[in-house]
Amino acid sequence: MEPVIGIVGGSGLYGVDGLTGAEWRAVETPWGAPSDALLHGTLDGTRMVFLPRHGRGHVHTPSTVPYRANLAAMKAAGVTHLVSVSAVGSFREEMAPGHLVIVDQFVDRTVARAASFFDTGLVAHVSMAHPVCAALAAACARAGRAAGATVHEGGTYLAMEGPQFSSVAESRLYRSWGCDVIGMTNLPEARLAREAELHYATVAMVTDYDAWHDGHDAVAVSDVIATLKANVATAAALVAALPAEVGGACETGCATALDHAIMTAPDARDSAMVERLRPIAGRLL
């Protein structure tokens, strides 16, 4: 099956240039409307679907992004490979503003977000030991280098609730835990992508050094925005390079993540939940 590439654009990335047959399509899901309409098109012969995570004009906070609707909309659109492009702060001197980090692990410090499609009446537990698709992550790294970026392969993403930036104490604590970058949006996104059996990867675009760094103990929004604007060109070039890179064999089990995850016995499943979850887990329901 040919891959269909989905792009979730973070702060500063609100579209994809160069799509053939580009069309914005508004959709609804069992979890409501996604952040915005989905931009469909073709790039170098590969189908692509783009969704601005915060909506065009940046109307959603990290806590109010409709994550379940976003992922359900991507799944319903036929997306097989989902790339999250996200702005982050860095806990590592060598991961400098303007660099890209291809994340492979997450630490969740969010507190106010629904983190699963499943609920009472239909229970499932997926493995998050390896939360990104290794093959897709490698493809993103190659695309990033083709775009001329400095790319770091591997890194732990600390997801904080926000919308405020970290205190110095928090920043130092997260750095001491071994986290590499910090952001506000990739969880529960990565969890939901695993439940939806999508190949998922995060391209983290570093905008600042967070509060731990001497001389950077107050993250200035103006500086973040300036770096974001500079990163947009890199992100666009990376997206343009993806069709040539995506499609390698997956050894992470992304497409079969639900095989042994559903716990509720068939005769005990809530019928309304079954119908609600068909777009996500219809392969097994």
Side-chain angles (χ1 to χ4, degrees):
M1 183 173 65
E2 291 295 315
V4 178
I5 302 174
I7 306 292
V8 178
S11 300
L13 188 61
Y14 304 111
V16 175
D17 295 329
L19 289 181
T20 301
E23 179 185 10
W24 288 93
R25 303 177 192 170
V27 298
E28 287 284 333
T29 79
W31 293 272
S35 297
D36 205 327
L38 275 63
L39 177 62
H40 291 250
T42 303
L43 189 64
D44 294 337
T46 298
R47 282 183 58 205
M48 299 192 78
V49 183
F50 174 81
L51 175 64
R53 184 188 288 113
H54 297 279
R56 284 168 289 179
H58 206 106
V59 296
H60 288 287
T61 74
S63 299
T64 64
V65 169
Y67 294 99
R68 291 185 295 183
N70 287 355
L71 271 292
M74 284 291 193
K75 177 81 172 181
V79 166
T80 58
H81 294 68
L82 187 65
V83 176
S84 170
V85 181
S86 304
V88 298
S90 171
F91 294 130
R92 305 295 162 205
E93 190 85 46
E94 67 273 18
M95 295 177 177
H99 290 189
L100 304 182
V101 181
I102 310 301
V103 170
D104 62 357
Q105 287 292 327
F106 296 94
V107 173
D108 196 352
R109 293 286 293 167
T110 64
V111 296
R113 308 173 189 187
S116 176
F117 289 112
F118 296 88
D119 208 334
T120 304
L122 189 49
V123 178
H125 302 281
V126 297
S127 171
M128 288 294 289
H130 302 287
V132 306
C133 176
L136 183 56
C140 290
R142 294 192 298 270
R145 293 191 176 100
T150 298
V151 177
H152 303 270
E153 292 190 67
T156 297
Y157 178 118
L158 187 291
M160 65 183 296
E161 188 64 49
Q164 301 83 4
F165 293 119
S166 306
S167 69
V168 172
E170 288 171 328
S171 188
R172 289 173 177 168
L173 176 64
Y174 301 150
R175 176 172 151 83
S176 77
W177 286 355
C179 298
D180 298 296
V181 296
I182 184 168
M184 302 179 187
T185 58
N186 277 207
L187 290 173
E189 190 175 88
R191 298 183 186 278
L192 297 167
R194 178 51 52 89
E195 289 186 346
E197 298 187 320
L198 299 177
H199 302 279
Y200 179 84
T202 289
V203 176
M205 302 189 301
V206 178
T207 61
D208 60 86
Y209 275 121
D210 208 55
W212 67 272
H213 194 285
D214 290 342
H216 294 265
D217 58 352
V219 178
V221 175
S222 59
D223 292 341
V224 171
I225 296 299
T227 307
L228 271 175
K229 290 179 178 178
N231 283 349
V232 166
T234 300
L238 182 149
V239 170
L242 277 174
E245 302 294 347
V246 171
C250 171
E251 298 179 357
T252 319
C254 304
T256 55
L258 291 175
D259 271 2
H260 305 289
I262 297 177
M263 305 298 292
T264 308
D267 60 356
R269 294 172 186 171
D270 180 270
S271 60
M273 282 294 296
V274 170
E275 291 308 309
R276 190 182 198 198
L277 279 159
R278 284 197 188 282
I280 301 300
R283 184 177 70 84
L284 297 172
L285 296 177

